[in-house]
Every structure is written in C-alpha cells, then in structure tokens.
Amino acid sequence: MNKETILSNDKCMVAFIFDSYGFNTNIYGAASIDMIFKGGELKENQFKIVVSFGDIIDYNIFSDINTLIVNNKLCSINNTQTKIYYYPYVILMEDIQIHIVTKLDKRMKKECNAYLGVTSIDIESHDQRKQFWKRLIRSFSIEKDVCTIFAEGIDDFMFRENIINAGYIIHYDGFSYDANFVNNSYLFSTRQSSFIQRTDQIKYVDGKNDSSRNINKMNMALVKEVEIAGVNIWKAIEDINKVHLTKNNTSVLVDYVFTSFYQAAQGIERLLKILIELVVYTDKNSENKRTDKLLYSHNHIALVSYLETKGVIKLDKSSRNLVNILYRFYSQVRYHRYID
C-alpha cells in the first residue's frame, strides 16, 4: 500500500503522536485522550472509529521519530519536530475521515505543546519500525456519542472517566482483551474497521527496513558517502592531470584516462545520490519506490533530472555535458573491451 493508496478515500488510519515529556503531568495518557476528545470533532465522523493507544518504547527511535512517519500530504510532523525528549505516546485511529483529522491536528497544534503531529499508517509495510502501531492496545471504538470499550466490565478501562467527561455514553462489548487472539481468527465485529479485520493483521511481520532512517544514522551514512565521493573526484583530477596530449596523440596513457573517467563517474554519482537522500528526508511528496530505484541505478542523467524537477539543482551547458559524458562512459564504455 503506497502513500497515495492510503489517502485514496475519505477514511484513513492515522497516528496522533505526542512527546510524553511535554505534558505537565505524569498521567500523559489521560492528558492525550482529553486533548483529542475535548473539541468534539470526533462526534462529526460518519464512521465508527477504532482507537488504540500506548507508548512506543524503542531505543532506535528515542531521539528521532522520523522512521515512524509516512511522508504524504496528511503528515503534519516536520523534520524539526522529530527529536523527542522521552518516549512518544501514540493514539491510533482507524476509519477517521480526513477532514476530521485535519481539524483535530490544527487545533492540537495550537493548544498542546506536547503534540508533535499526525502521520498515516501503511498497514502493508514490513519495515519493523513502521509496524510500531501493532504494539498499541486496541482499546475502544466511538460512533457519534457512543463509546464501546473492548472489555468485560467497568474495571477494565483506565480512561473511562475521561471519555464520560467528554460527553460520551459508555458501552462494553463483553469480551476480555485476549479473547480475539486465537488461530489468526477474525476480530469481534465491535473491534473491526475497514482497515483491520483479522488478528494476523496486527501481528509483527519480519522484513527489511525501508529507506527511512533516523537522523543520526542518516547523518553518519551520508557524511561517509561525501568522504568517499570526495576521494573519487580528487583521484579523478589527479589521474587526468597525468595525461598529456600531443598533436598525434602518441603519448596518451589510456590507463589514466580510464581511471579518471571511472572515478569521476562514481564520485559525481555518489554526490547526486546524497542529494536525493536529503530530498527524501525533507520532502513529504517524495516517491520512495522511485527514489530507491534511482539510488540503486547508475544513471547520472536520471539522477540529475529528478533533482532538477525538485528544484534542488540547475546545471549549465558545460556541467550537463560533463554529466552526459560520465553517463555514456559508465553505461557504454566501461566494459567495451569485452565486446568485439
């Protein structure tokens, strides 16, 4: 499910993220619930909303929550807000309408210093970090002014009074929390949404992490890439400086010509890819599948074209000629001795 699919209809599945350190109370869960429910926006939603909540206790995202985020138009967490001081507290909502999300987000940005913003959820992602929502407690649903708690009785819900104070009528679905988790069965109907119907959908799936990295890891990786690119470009300059052309070209050492082109092509390619990584990190509308393909390619022209469409670079004629030459060398000439 790509980020366009997530927003393909009016329903969406989103996580409202708070910095628990930002509240003036240790009962930050209740404070988060109060903040979301106090405005009454949720009662305007046309569909039943399933709500989960909880802390995200993970050292890998302690200082930067960027790896949790799906960067699309609905995301309101910018890159200056991804550093947190304690564990993030998350309230997840399924089948909430997009215009309700926007109203909630706008209000909480004004009223709550602990509120970081909202992000969509990609339920098909196998990235271990983007499956953070599966750790949350699937707790209750709300429909208009009725709150149905996923529990057997009155003692099983810590935020009961907060929900009542927000003007909701309390019901219980009569089942214990563990009753659903049997043989990858369907969830009880009270606990289903249009996104999640089965218990296997909320179990962790093994998979590789995607191109999203926290800022510290990305910083270290890209600094090393700049270093490698610099070495390649400097060696290219040194080698081309050893080539002396005469009128009849008899003194040309083909080794130095080849190594100069080879190293320049690699160095420039790495610099272009560093810029693309920075675009992906800062641009909510970047297409990760497209950029991942570019990062594993050796197409200098495609790399430059992408960066130009993003307004990051604008090459003059001589620079463009250089890029074209390096691309032709790397794609056509590099292995030409193996062809008759």
Side-chain angles (χ1 to χ4, degrees):
M1 181 181 294
N2 60 36
K3 61 189 179 183
E4 287 76 21
T5 304
I6 294 168
L7 301 180
S8 62
N9 57 41
D10 194 31
K11 295 179 183 179
C12 59
M13 179 173 172
V14 297
F16 297 96
I17 303 179
F18 298 83
D19 182 353
S20 54
Y21 185 81
F23 288 105
N24 295 322
T25 174
N26 291 328
I27 314 173
Y28 50 80
S32 302
I33 292 287
D34 287 341
M35 180 53 62
I36 280 188
F37 280 82
K38 66 181 284 190
E41 296 93 344
L42 297 176
K43 293 179 181 178
E44 302 172 18
N45 204 74
Q46 293 182 6
F47 313 102
K48 179 187 74 177
I49 300 173
V50 175
V51 182
S52 307
F53 57 79
D55 293 292
I56 304 299
I57 303 175
D58 187 338
Y59 177 78
N60 292 320
I61 54 88
F62 179 74
S63 61
D64 179 20
I65 62 170
N66 185 67
T67 54
L68 309 180
I69 296 167
V70 175
N71 282 318
N72 58 24
K73 294 177 181 179
L74 192 57
C75 179
S76 69
I77 303 172
N78 63 48
N79 296 105
T80 62
Q81 294 174 302
T82 57
K83 182 176 177 57
I84 60 174
Y85 296 97
Y86 200 58
Y87 300 121
Y89 189 80
V90 177
I91 297 179
L92 182 82
M93 295 197 176
E94 302 165 31
D95 288 347
I96 183 171
Q97 291 179 280
I98 292 173
H99 73 279
I100 302 294
V101 173
T102 304
K103 287 175 68 174
L104 263 172
D105 178 70
K106 185 176 180 180
R107 175 176 62 78
M108 291 196 294
K109 281 285 179 72
K110 291 180 179 178
E111 297 180 358
C112 183
N113 292 330
Y115 177 62
L116 298 176
V118 65
T119 179
S120 300
I121 299 297
D122 182 355
I123 64 172
E124 294 183 5
S125 175
H126 289 185
D127 186 322
Q128 292 295 299
R129 300 163 303 189
K130 284 189 169 57
Q131 295 182 70
F132 73 93
W133 60 276
K134 296 179 180 180
R135 301 181 187 178
L136 304 176
I137 302 171
R138 199 174 188 83
S139 186
F140 62 94
S141 69
I142 55 173
E143 190 168 8
K144 301 303 180 183
D145 63 347
V146 175
C147 172
T148 301
I149 298 169
F150 305 155
E152 293 180 280
I154 195 169
D155 296 326
D156 297 330
F157 185 57
M158 66 182 76
F159 301 135
R160 181 177 179 275
E161 294 303 319
N162 302 85
I163 299 296
I164 290 174
N165 291 337
Y168 286 84
I169 301 166
I170 298 292
H171 290 171
Y172 295 87
D173 70 358
F175 300 102
S176 67
Y177 179 75
D178 294 330
N180 265 136
F181 289 86
V182 180
N183 299 324
N184 291 339
S185 61
Y186 278 87
L187 294 165
F188 297 120
S189 59
T190 53
R191 307 181 185 192
Q192 291 184 18
S193 71
S194 65
F195 291 91
I196 305 296
Q197 295 89 39
R198 304 182 313 276
T199 56
D200 60 296
Q201 291 179 284
I202 49 180
K203 291 183 179 179
Y204 262 79
V205 178
D206 291 334
K208 295 181 180 179
N209 289 334
D210 62 23
S211 59
S212 298
R213 286 180 280 184
N214 71 43
I215 193 169
N216 293 327
K217 285 186 177 180
M218 190 182 75
N219 182 56
M220 294 298 293
L222 296 192
V223 166
K224 179 57 69 176
E225 280 297 296
V226 171
E227 181 182 339
I228 294 170
V231 169
N232 281 328
I233 292 169
W234 180 251
K235 286 185 175 293
I237 295 169
E238 283 188 323
D239 283 1
I240 204 71
N241 204 37
K242 296 174 183 176
V243 176
H244 299 281
L245 299 177
T246 61
K247 288 183 180 180
N248 57 10
N249 288 343
T250 56
S251 64
V252 174
L253 293 175
V254 69
D255 294 6
Y256 288 129
V257 175
F258 184 91
T259 56
S260 179
F261 271 112
Y262 190 85
Q263 290 161 160
Q266 285 213 355
I268 297 299
E269 178 187 320
R270 286 178 181 273
L271 287 181
L272 293 171
K273 288 178 178 179
I274 289 165
L275 289 173
I276 287 177
E277 277 279 64
L278 294 174
V279 167
V280 170
Y281 185 76
T282 57
D283 184 4
K284 293 178 182 177
N285 296 314
S286 63
E287 304 168 65
N288 280 26
K289 288 185 178 179
R290 180 184 174 189
T291 53
D292 284 350
K293 187 175 180 180
L294 283 172
L295 292 173
Y296 285 105
S297 73
H298 302 291
N299 192 331
H300 298 72
I301 295 174
L303 294 168
V304 167
S305 296
Y306 178 83
L307 291 168
E308 285 183 328
T309 62
K310 295 295 182 179
V312 176
I313 60 174
K314 185 177 182 180
L315 299 187
D316 57 26
K317 184 177 180 180
S318 61
S319 299
R320 194 175 298 279
N321 285 339
L322 174 61
V323 169
N324 288 337
I325 290 169
L326 294 177
Y327 171 65
R328 284 175 54 204
F329 167 81
Y330 215 74
S331 62
Q332 301 172 25
V333 180
R334 185 170 41 141
Y335 295 121
H336 79 282
R337 293 182 189 86
Y338 297 108
I339 302 171
D340 187 9

